[in-house]
Amino acid sequence: MIRKTLVFISASLLCISPLPAQSASVDQRVESLIHQMTLEEKLGQLIQYTASQPDVRGLAAKGGVGCVFNSGGAAQTNALQRAAVEESRLKIPLLFAHDVIHGYRTIFPIPLGIASTWDPSAAELAARIAAKEASASGIRWTFAPMVDIARDPRWGRVAEGAGEDPYLGSAMAAAYVRGFQADSFLACAKHFAAYGAAEAGRDYNSVDMSERMLRQVYLPPFKAAVDAGVRTIMTGFDSLNAVPATANDHLLKEILRGEWNFRGFVDSDYHAIGQLIDHAVAATPQEAALKAIRAGVDMDMFDATYLTLAAAVREGRLSESVIDASVRRILRAKFDLGLFERPYADEQRERSVLLAKEHVDAARRIAQESIVVLRNQGALLPLSKNAGTIAVIGPLADSKADMLGSWYAFGKPEEAISVLEGIRAKTTQIAYAKGDDIAAAVTTAQKSDVVVLAVGEEGKMTGEASSRAFLDLPGNQQQLLEAIVATQRPVVLVVMSGRPLTISWAAANVPAIVWPWFPGSQGGHAIADILFGDVNPSGKLPITIPRSVGQIPIYYAHLPTGRPEDPAIKYTSKYIDSRNDPLYPFGYGLSYTRFEYSDLRVSGLTVSADVLNAGERDGDEIVQLYVRQLVASVSRPVKELKGFRRITLAAGEKRRVEFTITKNDLQFWLDHGWTVEPGTFKVWIGPNSVEGLEGTFEVK
Ligand code: BGC
């Protein structure tokens, strides 16, 4: 402590030149600052604390912290900012960060829900609005998007990403980056890399995978984010092939900065530098810090392990130029954000921006697009508004908080619309039962004409540290469901969740299943819009829904096997107690109209098909393109998504949808680089990953 105080006193006695004039180039201003900074002030820029860190204000006043995260509100951020800008020696502003994942105050569907829209412009808009609201509160950096591919729904964080597919995931990653960074705001692609492949779906667990799998499946969304100009990257908690991601030269130096030429800064995850000790690759905090900074981690989230680097520099174990390089990247971002010129948030403006009408309207529209209808036997849906009494039943039917899912920043449960409220806005003939008393719920169902049963996970069951070994409906929901179905009233099952759940019984016994994930502040309205047909459903699954936990990992783009499943032959790849195929495949989702695909044409690498809205309602269809190389020097997946388009067709309208396949779509990782091998390819255009028109093309 005394030592630290002395350092600060001596620093303040140094002759300080004023900041260079604002016209000086950013590079000059950065260099001039670095030139004036003490080693402690430099390390301060690399340190990130939460607002609850003891005396964070005092540290800001001494230049001992560069970023404060998980605080918010213009008044609070301004108060801390004053300490940095008005009291610290060099007046370097703080950067405020937050997990603004699917909205700041106006909450959008969880990212897995947004991925179900297959509409990158929806992701972009949600991100732009989230950034606008967060900026109004003084936050200028979000720890989003999470672009981790996840093929294991046991992992609770599947909720935060775009699902199982690298092509869809890349499109979403780029869209989020464009949206978040549209106006003086930093996005952060996380968690670099392969964090979503945690063994057994258990959060924070290790990952061992081939370079090919890493390159082809887990890295593309990060590459897409970098290509879209993402300014920051967060490392993962995982160890990848026995090297923790936070000290991983291959990921950070060779790939991110070397191959991809990433110019922004890299943040560790929460305490991940200190945890290099728990990963057993460092014995002391200083060793951990040295490993992380040498690998290229610029900022240290939360635990200030980087403070040990001062001694490392003084003892000659680390060149100060390594620290300068990180400081340079962080200062550069602060200048580019305009923080030196405008460090404060406008408290007046904050009030008018949060929950602005156009934000709330967008949340409803995007939630409508994200809802997936999985089953609709006998056209039970849409419901008529005069269909008699609707029983709205279930633990999630009137739960406002559970509309928001996990990581909902400054969203307020009381501002969310529940399913019951959404239905009430459409019709008044409603009976409600929460369902914890199953007998009472059955009585309610018996007295009504149709039942909407809202079940699923509570919001807090998903997200970080929320892995599940069982994916059934939680608690007594399955009993409730069976009891309600036994009343023989038609049942519409609404399942809220942050991940696929195993609902085989429901899929066989309930006529209608609607899957809104966690749909956000306006979720109840959006669900009711779909239930009553004011909006025609269009969402499609961005992740496979398995029949059972035993099938996991299950994903459509798997490799072929030497012994493909044949129910008649024992020694083929299958289970003795389950089918291989999923309950609902990737890309699947129903509409209230019918789309017919015809006339596939292939000309060179251009593939097209007609899509007809053969029903009586206007609707959106998500047209999907899949490709397979039949023979190559290594096995290629049985199908890979290589294009998709959301189109709106009026009833009776037909449109030709055309895709152009590029070299990038056909390449795969071989030995040490990307390659395209000539040969025959199959191609499909269709409504999901199992149906579609099939053609072939040749690559010479
Ligand atoms: C999570 C990150 C998050 C960070 C800050 C960590 O525990 O893994 O995704 O951004 O906390 O809240």
Side-chain angles (χ1 to χ4, degrees):
M1 184 63 212
I2 294 171
R3 199 163 150 232
K4 257 194 210 161
T5 314
L6 285 177
V7 170
F8 282 115
I9 293 170
S10 63
S12 64
L13 293 175
L14 292 174
C15 171
I16 302 163
S17 57
L19 278 181
Q22 284 181 21
S23 57
S25 78
V26 169
D27 285 342
Q28 284 168 325
R29 296 174 75 188
V30 168
E31 293 313 319
S32 159
L33 269 179
I34 291 179
H35 187 68
Q36 298 171 63
M37 290 166 92
T38 63
L39 180 55
E40 277 67 19
E41 284 168 331
K42 289 177 184 173
L43 291 174
Q45 288 305 305
L46 311 190
I47 302 289
Q48 195 177 20
Y49 288 125
T50 60
S52 51
Q53 161 81 16
D55 197 26
V56 71
R57 197 191 173 286
L59 286 164
K62 288 188 226 155
V65 52
C67 167
V68 175
F69 71 109
N70 289 359
S71 66
Q76 192 190 6
T77 54
N78 284 347
L80 279 174
Q81 189 69 296
R82 250 173 242 120
V85 169
E86 289 165 28
E87 295 172 39
S88 77
R89 192 178 75 93
L90 292 172
K91 310 197 178 326
I92 300 174
L94 292 169
L95 172 58
F96 291 98
H98 201 87
D99 289 282
V100 183
I101 307 296
H102 52 115
Y104 179 75
R105 177 74 169 269
T106 308
I107 304 302
F108 294 88
I110 55 167
L112 195 59
I114 292 185
S116 303
T117 68
W118 293 57
D119 180 357
S121 73
E124 186 172 338
L125 178 64
R128 186 155 5 105
I129 290 172
K132 189 170 176 196
E133 291 193 352
S135 287
S137 289
I139 290 157
R140 307 297 291 280
W141 180 22
T142 179
F143 303 132
M146 187 191 97
V147 303
D148 297 312
I149 294 298
R151 293 176 160 185
D152 191 330
R154 291 172 297 183
W155 190 54
R157 303 196 81 168
V158 296
E160 297 173 52
E164 75 182 46
D165 185 70
Y167 189 91
L168 179 60
S170 298
M172 288 293 166
Y176 279 114
V177 171
R178 286 194 301 271
F180 281 130
Q181 296 193 162
D183 188 9
S184 299
F185 197 83
L186 307 180
C188 176
K190 70 185 188 186
H191 307 81
F192 197 61
Y195 174 51
E199 217 167 74
R202 209 176 65 233
D203 207 1
Y204 316 124
N205 207 0
S206 55
V207 178
D208 204 313
M209 71 166 58
S210 69
E211 187 72 11
R212 173 169 302 116
M213 180 71 104
L214 178 69
R215 298 282 187 162
Q216 291 179 181
V217 176
Y218 288 84
L219 291 187
F222 286 98
K223 174 72 162 58
V226 169
D227 289 346
V230 74
R231 296 292 304 258
T232 77
I233 296 277
M234 186 189 295
T235 61
F237 283 127
D238 55 309
S239 75
L240 174 61
N241 302 331
V243 182
T246 301
N248 196 308
D249 281 359
H250 180 51
L251 286 175
L252 296 169
K253 276 194 175 149
E254 292 169 17
I255 298 178
L256 181 66
R257 294 208 189 272
E259 294 176 29
W260 299 353
N261 200 21
F262 173 68
R263 306 293 289 274
F265 70 86
V266 174
D267 190 17
S268 78
D269 202 346
Y270 204 101
H271 192 32
I273 298 177
Q275 285 164 10
L276 293 175
I277 297 173
D278 304 276
H279 276 291
V281 298
T284 64
Q286 193 188 70
E287 260 179 56
L290 284 169
K291 283 212 161 178
I293 197 138
R294 285 190 180 127
V297 179
D298 300 302
M299 197 179 260
D300 176 0
M301 189 190 284
F302 183 68
D303 64 0
T305 310
Y306 270 4
L307 291 181
T308 62
L309 293 175
V313 170
R314 296 213 165 91
E315 290 155 16
R317 258 172 295 145
L318 181 72
S319 156
E320 192 163 343
S321 65
V322 176
I323 289 172
D324 288 352
S326 293
V327 174
R328 190 170 286 125
R329 293 184 190 119
I330 290 161
L331 289 179
R332 169 107 223 171
K334 290 185 176 184
F335 275 109
D336 290 349
L337 284 174
L339 280 176
F340 283 85
E341 286 74 32
R342 292 174 304 283
Y344 300 112
D346 176 343
E347 293 175 36
Q348 194 96 30
R349 184 167 175 273
E350 182 184 34
R351 280 189 281 278
S352 66
V353 169
L354 301 185
L355 283 179
K357 181 169 184 310
E358 70 264 28
H359 300 180
V360 174
D361 291 349
R364 181 163 175 170
R365 244 184 6 258
I366 293 171
Q368 290 164 346
E369 279 193 6
S370 74
I371 294 169
V372 188
V373 173
L374 291 175
R375 192 169 149 87
N376 192 13
Q377 288 299 104
L380 174 57
L381 294 174
L383 301 174
S384 153
K385 285 171 195 158
N386 323 303
T389 301
I390 299 181
V392 183
I393 298 177
L396 296 189
D398 198 23
S399 168
K400 288 154 133 356
D402 292 315
M403 304 309 281
L404 305 180
S406 60
W407 294 115
Y408 51 82
F410 281 72
K412 294 191 193 305
E414 62 270 25
E415 289 165 0
I417 307 295
S418 72
V419 180
L420 180 64
E421 289 170 317
I423 294 177
R424 226 177 236 144
K426 305 276 184 195
T427 171
T428 48
Q429 252 189 293
I430 294 173
Y432 166 69
K434 189 168 181 198
D436 19 23
D437 176 346
I438 294 182
V442 165
T443 309
T444 306
Q446 276 161 343
K447 286 195 212 138
S448 49
D449 300 284
V450 59
V451 180
V452 173
L453 181 59
V455 298
E457 300 184 308
E458 290 170 46
K460 59 176 189 272
M461 290 181 73
T462 58
E464 188 176 353
S466 301
S467 296
R468 293 182 65 190
F470 301 95
L471 295 175
D472 312 316
L473 294 173
N476 67 355
Q477 293 181 14
Q478 182 66 29
Q479 286 109 286
L480 174 66
L481 168 63
E482 292 184 22
I484 299 296
V485 169
T487 65
Q488 303 204 334
R489 295 294 178 283
V491 175
V492 180
L493 186 67
V494 175
V495 186
M496 251 121 12
S497 81
R499 49 154 74 85
L501 300 178
T502 49
I503 51 146
S504 292
W505 190 90
N509 293 285
V510 182
I513 302 177
V514 177
W515 205 286
W517 309 103
F518 291 116
S521 315
Q522 289 293 298
H525 283 319
I527 291 169
D529 292 336
I530 297 288
L531 294 180
F532 291 97
D534 293 329
V535 171
N536 194 350
S538 57
K540 299 216 179 185
L541 294 176
I543 186 165
T544 303
I545 298 197
R547 294 174 187 279
S548 67
V549 171
Q551 288 182 311
I552 296 168
I554 180 168
Y555 48 92
Y556 81 94
H558 59 81
L559 295 181
T561 137
R563 295 188 175 195
E565 178 187 24
D566 183 338
I569 304 177
K570 178 170 169 67
Y571 295 99
T572 60
S573 181
K574 60 186 186 331
Y575 301 99
I576 57 170
D577 55 0
S578 166
R579 293 161 59 163
N580 278 8
D581 64 339
L583 191 59
Y584 294 106
F586 176 82
Y588 183 78
L590 300 174
S591 164
Y592 297 152
T593 187
R594 212 160 24 86
F595 295 104
E596 286 176 6
Y597 288 69
S598 63
D599 193 21
L600 182 93
R601 285 185 222 157
V602 184
S603 156
L605 291 180
T606 300
V607 189
S608 63
D610 281 335
V611 183
L612 167 71
N613 180 347
E616 266 134 45
R617 280 168 187 267
D618 302 350
D620 279 14
E621 167 69 327
I622 296 156
V623 182
Q624 300 163 40
L625 173 94
Y626 294 87
V627 164
R628 175 183 185 175
Q629 180 158 24
L630 293 185
V631 179
S633 53
V634 293
S635 283
R636 304 285 299 119
V638 296
K639 254 182 190 182
E640 287 180 293
L641 182 74
K642 292 299 174 188
F644 63 87
R645 204 153 306 142
R646 177 183 266 273
I647 58 168
T648 303
L649 291 180
E653 187 184 347
K654 178 156 98 173
R655 190 169 320 152
R656 179 148 282 273
V657 179
E658 185 177 287
F659 297 94
T660 301
I661 296 166
T662 67
K663 177 177 156 270
N664 281 358
D665 297 329
L666 305 178
Q667 68 186 10
F668 59 94
W669 189 260
L670 189 68
D671 303 330
H672 302 291
W674 293 103
T675 186
V676 178
E677 286 184 354
T680 306
F681 291 76
K682 267 195 184 169
V683 59
W684 297 262
I685 292 182
N688 57 56
S689 62
V690 297
E691 296 169 271
L693 305 172
E694 184 182 310
T696 57
F697 63 90
E698 300 289 329
V699 171
K700 300 259 184 303

